[in-house]
Amino acid sequence: MWHRLFLGIIAAAALAACEPVPDLSGPPTTTVRLAGAVTLTGPAGYCVDPVVTKPRQGFALLAACAAMTADETDAYPDMIALITVQVGADGSGAVAGQEDAFGAFMETPQGAALLSASAIGGPIAVRVTQTAPNTVAVYTEDIADPGISGTQKQAWRLFTDVRGRLVTITVRGLTDAPLSQSASRALLDAVVTALHSANDLPSSAT
């Protein structure tokens, strides 16, 4: 059941992003080098989607490795979600040393509008904002239906600077296996910890 469901959701994500539906017949990989020499490594049980991911554009989609193999009996991770990572342009870093101001901006109507413009699905509401050294995490809820069918309206987004670039990480659970706010935050922390470690940065996940 998980295999067919996850394939459908990944296909929907590809179509929503105007990308070809991925061919998941090849062996999955857990690491990719994105724009600006930013290295991304998936947390345990997660691999890099081989087609939707666009390294030169700084974009990566991480999903359960088991969804990317031909064997429907492969084990899925305990926490199942779609994870996206976007690396910004050179010099776009805006978090380190400005965490409180960045977080405060995310709570304004202008910040919510910016988040909505960068998301698939339309307007969102900001529910929680948390800051730590070189990280600002925002818990959001879609006002309308999410743009990718089968995913939750709630999502965590985290902003951090890596090699002078702003990196945005989004974790969104599935409607058939929804993640609680704390569970999706734990998965988000695993992603940012691996990201910082792969790029020789101190971890600041809370």
Side-chain angles (χ1 to χ4, degrees), residues 8 15 35 82 86 89 96 110 118 147 160 165 171 176 188 191 200:
L15 291 172
L82 289 184
Q86 179 67 61
Q110 294 84 357
S118 64
T160 184
R165 297 170 183 254
V171 172
D176 280 5
L188 180 74
V191 178
D200 299 321

Side-chain angles (χ1 to χ4, degrees), residues 6 14 50 92 126 143 146 153 155 160 171 175:
F6 224 104
S92 60
V126 175
I143 302 301
K153 289 188 173 184
T160 184
V171 172
T175 52

Side-chain angles (χ1 to χ4, degrees), residues 66-148:
M68 302 182 195
T69 68
D71 188 349
E72 295 191 18
T73 65
D74 284 351
Y76 279 75
D78 292 336
M79 294 185 289
I80 301 176
L82 289 184
I83 302 169
T84 60
V85 178
Q86 179 67 61
V87 177
D90 187 24
S92 60
V95 177
Q98 306 177 80
E99 295 87 353
D100 290 343
F102 194 107
F105 175 73
M106 290 294 102
E107 295 177 343
T108 66
Q110 294 84 357
L114 180 63
L115 289 170
S116 299
S118 64
I120 297 173
I124 64 168
V126 175
R127 301 303 187 195
V128 177
T129 302
Q130 298 174 345
T131 63
N134 194 23
T135 63
V136 173
V138 183
Y139 192 62
T140 64
E141 183 172 2
D142 294 330
I143 302 301
D145 290 335
I148 301 176

